[in-house]
Amino acid sequence: MRRRPRATISHDEPVGLAGWLYTDLLLGLAIVFLGCITFVKAVSGEPEPEAAVETTATTSSTTSTTTTTSTTTTSTTTTSTTTTTTTTTTKPPIVTTTIAPGVEKGFYCFRLNQALNAGDMTSNPDYIDADETPFVSPMKPSDEWIDKAVKDLLQQIRDSDLILREAGITLVFGTSPRDSTTRAKKNANYLIEFVLPKLRLFHDSATRAFWGGSANSTRHKTTSGWVEGEIDNSFTLDFYLMTDSRSEALPDTEKTKCG
């Protein structure tokens, strides 16, 4: 019978056994360590990991529910704009046509038998020079002469019942001999400038000055009455009144010859 060879003892076997032993010890320590951790947490009352996970899930669910059930109140302010439309009906203005007054066809005549001689003239304080006051006469009748002429003509206006009327055109004729026609026309301008503006009847009248011829001793009928002839350097006034609805217009046939 053949013998089995004896097994030879290896020198590395103890080292291998020591390694396995060390491994087994580590495994056992690990199990003990894990058991200690579980035991400590159970004693202290802390929830197990699984319970914690469930709690977390429950908390998450509760939070979600709270968010869902929260009510957001939005206050909306509605601004109502009321538009009021106002329709204004504008009626066309009533156009009133006013016919400008004209002058009557017939004219009136006054005589002023008040001579304006050289001795009745005086310097005019309103005159400066021809450049500064080109429309002001350097000479003028005296205040006494002007006042007397105004009173004479005013009386004729009253006698003729023309105190409220207005003349549109006034023609003033200066009476003088033929060789002094320039003087007669100048006297007529003095009457226009210094006397007529003081009388309402002639205040806004258009005026012209003329030579009225030589003095005529014939008795004449004027608008205000009869006049016994004329004298040199005196005056005749022919004037046309403005039309007035309150008074009957003087016809064309009424043209008084008074000098």
Side-chain angles (χ1 to χ4, degrees), residues 44-55:
S44 62
E46 292 183 3
E48 295 182 359
E50 291 78 8
V53 172
E54 291 180 1
T55 304

Side-chain angles (χ1 to χ4, degrees), residues 66-127:
T66 303
T67 304
T68 303
T69 58
S70 64
T71 304
T72 303
T73 304
T74 303
S75 189
T76 305
T77 303
T78 304
T79 304
S80 299
T81 304
T82 304
T83 304
T84 304
T85 304
T86 303
T87 304
T88 303
T89 304
T90 304
K91 294 182 180 180
I94 300 174
V95 179
T96 304
T97 303
T98 303
I99 301 175
V103 294
E104 297 179 354
K105 294 182 178 181
F107 65 87
Y108 295 83
C109 178
F110 286 169
R111 279 289 305 161
L112 181 60
N113 269 341
Q114 180 179 327
L116 180 58
N117 299 314
D120 298 315
M121 300 299 296
T122 183
S123 60
N124 186 358
D126 296 329
Y127 177 80

Side-chain angles (χ1 to χ4, degrees), residues 19-240:
W20 282 110
L21 180 60
Y22 181 74
T23 302
D24 293 338
L25 288 175
L26 287 177
L27 180 60
L29 290 174
I31 293 171
V32 172
F33 177 74
L34 290 175
C36 290
I37 293 176
T38 305
F39 177 78
V40 170
K41 289 189 175 182
V43 172
S44 62
E46 292 183 3
E48 295 182 359
E50 291 78 8
V53 172
E54 291 180 1
T55 304
T56 304
T58 303
T59 304
S60 176
S61 174
T62 303
T63 304
S64 176
T65 302
T66 303
T67 304
T68 303
T69 58
S70 64
T71 304
T72 303
T73 304
T74 303
S75 189
T76 305
T77 303
T78 304
T79 304
S80 299
T81 304
T82 304
T83 304
T84 304
T85 304
T86 303
T87 304
T88 303
T89 304
T90 304
K91 294 182 180 180
I94 300 174
V95 179
T96 304
T97 303
T98 303
I99 301 175
V103 294
E104 297 179 354
K105 294 182 178 181
F107 65 87
Y108 295 83
C109 178
F110 286 169
R111 279 289 305 161
L112 181 60
N113 269 341
Q114 180 179 327
L116 180 58
N117 299 314
D120 298 315
M121 300 299 296
T122 183
S123 60
N124 186 358
D126 296 329
Y127 177 80
I128 299 175
D129 54 48
D131 294 329
E132 293 290 332
T133 52
F135 302 106
V136 177
S137 300
M139 301 294 291
K140 63 180 288 290
S142 64
D143 292 339
E144 293 79 11
W145 191 94
I146 293 174
D147 290 342
K148 184 179 179 181
V150 168
K151 289 179 181 179
D152 190 324
L153 291 174
L154 182 59
Q155 186 60 49
Q156 294 187 59
I157 292 172
R158 287 172 176 167
D159 292 342
S160 305
D161 196 20
L162 299 176
I163 195 69
L164 298 178
R165 300 296 300 274
E166 295 180 3
I169 300 174
T170 303
L171 309 179
V172 180
F173 300 89
T175 302
S176 70
R178 185 173 294 275
D179 58 355
S180 58
T181 56
T182 302
R183 172 64 184 276
K185 187 176 179 180
K186 185 175 291 187
N187 283 350
N189 280 318
Y190 287 141
L191 188 76
I192 291 172
E193 184 177 354
F194 298 102
V195 176
L196 297 189
K198 297 181 179 296
L199 298 165
R200 182 181 182 276
L201 177 64
F202 303 107
H203 190 270
D204 296 318
S205 176
T207 56
R208 289 290 301 276
F210 301 93
W211 172 57
S214 302
N216 189 338
S217 59
T218 306
R219 189 168 180 258
H220 299 285
K221 182 181 180 181
T222 67
T223 300
S224 59
W226 288 90
V227 175
E228 296 294 336
E230 301 172 338
I231 59 175
D232 286 336
N233 300 322
S234 62
F235 306 90
T236 300
L237 288 79
D238 292 346
F239 56 94
Y240 298 78

Side-chain angles (χ1 to χ4, degrees), residues 4-25:
R4 291 181 180 182
R6 288 180 82 178
T8 58
I9 300 173
S10 174
H11 296 286
D12 296 329
E13 186 174 348
V15 176
L17 291 175
W20 282 110
L21 180 60
Y22 181 74
T23 302
D24 293 338
L25 288 175

